[in-house]
Amino acid sequence: MKVVILAGGLGTRISEESHLKPKPMIEIGEKPILWHIMKEYSHYGFNEFIICCGYKQHIIKQWFSDYYLYNSDVTFDFSEHNKMIVHNTETENWKVTVVDTGLNTLTAGRIKRIQKYIGNETFMMTYGDGVCSVDINDLVQYHKNSGKAATLTAALVEQRFGVLSIDEDNTITSFREKSKEDATRVNAGYMVLEPEVFDYIPEEDVYFEQEPLKNLAKDRKLGAYKFNGFWQPMDTMRDKEKLEELWASGQAPWKVW
């Protein structure tokens, strides 16, 4: 089963780094977050990837092109006409198709543009800026059993702030700190999709999270895989620093490999 990763956005909310590289190439523990996501899927036996690129897509292509160099010991022998010797060539068993899906294309358009690489097969899709400890094999089995056209991982996210109760004349009647009861479920990506989903993507460029998913839900073809474990998007530098701290501590919940 192929894994589609959306990696083409501008990443404006983390512009401290994204002005130099695509957000999926921002590093956690000296590896792009894109690599971390791929390692998650690979751990569960999914090794064929389609990367939907856009902004600074050449950087992603170059990184994969030089993957052996980044992950091997190399001798550069200038006395032998710039001879290069790669001493160890053990890398992941990945097949990666990197597709330029356009600079300003929205998420549904990016998915539509890789349809020819999917064919008539079930596939997975996620965003290139978030990591998760979800059991992907269990997610896939849940999707198969559901009979839905699409299943998304519905992660439980706790409220970050204190909670106010306000009456009709705008008087605050109570204030309390957040609790687990205030948590809500959000779309964490890590989706399993049937080819039927392409029929829900209109010709005009839209966000996949709007018209396509809303219409799938309206037709009762969108399922939720409820997940209470770790999920963390990397939207801001604060998020990146949190992920860096977890990785450096050796307690990164998404490191299942």
Side-chain angles (χ1 to χ4, degrees):
M1 191 181 296
K2 298 181 179 70
V3 181
V4 175
I5 302 177
L6 299 181
L10 299 177
T12 54
R13 285 185 289 180
I14 192 168
S15 59
E16 298 92 333
E17 293 206 33
S18 64
H19 73 286
L20 296 172
K21 63 183 73 171
K23 186 161 68 163
M25 296 304 292
I26 295 174
E27 295 182 353
I28 303 298
E30 299 185 346
K31 295 284 189 181
I33 193 170
L34 177 63
W35 176 88
H36 290 264
I37 296 166
M38 294 172 71
K39 287 286 285 186
E40 290 178 66
Y41 279 99
S42 185
H43 170 76
Y44 291 101
F46 301 101
N47 293 304
E48 188 167 355
F49 300 92
I50 300 171
I51 314 297
C52 299
C53 300
Y55 174 68
K56 295 187 182 294
Q57 50 88 25
H58 65 281
I59 293 176
I60 296 177
K61 291 178 179 176
Q62 188 64 53
W63 189 80
F64 282 110
S65 175
D66 292 339
Y67 194 79
Y68 273 123
L69 297 184
Y70 293 134
N71 294 278
S72 304
D73 296 331
V74 184
T75 296
F76 298 95
D77 189 346
F78 300 119
S79 66
E80 292 287 335
H81 306 289
N82 296 335
K83 183 179 180 181
M84 182 179 73
I85 303 171
V86 180
H87 295 284
N88 55 303
T89 57
E90 292 185 9
T91 56
E92 288 78 6
N93 184 31
W94 293 346
K95 179 180 179 181
V96 185
T97 301
V98 183
V99 183
D100 182 3
T101 54
L103 178 60
N104 298 309
T105 310
L106 302 181
T107 49
R110 295 192 190 282
I111 295 169
K112 189 73 171 179
R113 293 187 186 191
I114 55 86
Q115 182 175 4
K116 63 183 178 181
Y117 297 106
I118 297 296
N120 192 34
E121 299 177 8
T122 305
F123 65 103
M124 288 182 283
M125 191 276 286
T126 195
Y127 305 102
D129 61 355
V131 287
C132 187
S133 62
V134 64
D135 183 325
I136 294 174
N137 283 335
D138 192 58
L139 166 64
V140 170
Q141 190 59 53
Y142 177 87
H143 170 78
K144 289 179 178 178
N145 293 340
S146 74
K148 302 291 187 183
T151 300
L152 59 80
T153 297
L156 196 63
V157 178
E158 291 188 8
Q159 167 67 260
R160 288 177 56 189
F161 306 103
V163 179
L164 304 176
S165 295
I166 304 173
D167 68 12
E168 293 179 358
D169 67 352
N170 293 329
T171 299
I172 297 175
T173 58
S174 69
F175 173 85
R176 60 179 172 79
E177 289 299 316
K178 62 184 181 292
S179 67
K180 290 183 179 179
E181 286 71 30
D182 299 311
T184 187
R185 292 197 181 275
V186 301
N187 172 17
Y190 289 82
M191 303 182 190
V192 187
L193 306 172
E194 298 299 327
E196 179 184 355
V197 165
F198 290 114
D199 297 333
Y200 281 81
I201 300 176
E203 291 300 323
E204 63 271 19
D205 197 18
V206 298
Y207 287 103
F208 185 66
E209 300 75 14
Q210 294 180 352
E211 184 177 338
L213 285 186
K214 287 179 180 179
N215 286 333
L216 281 162
K218 180 181 177 182
D219 293 343
R220 302 187 62 80
K221 293 184 177 181
L222 178 62
Y225 177 82
K226 291 183 178 179
F227 174 66
N228 297 340
F230 177 87
W231 169 71
Q232 178 63 56
M234 187 182 66
D235 288 330
T236 65
M237 284 300 294
R238 177 183 176 182
D239 296 332
K240 171 181 161 42
E241 289 164 2
K242 178 180 178 180
L243 293 172
E244 283 277 16
E245 289 172 6
L246 287 169
W247 184 263
S249 70
Q251 299 177 7
W254 69 90
K255 189 180 183 300
V256 292
W257 60 90

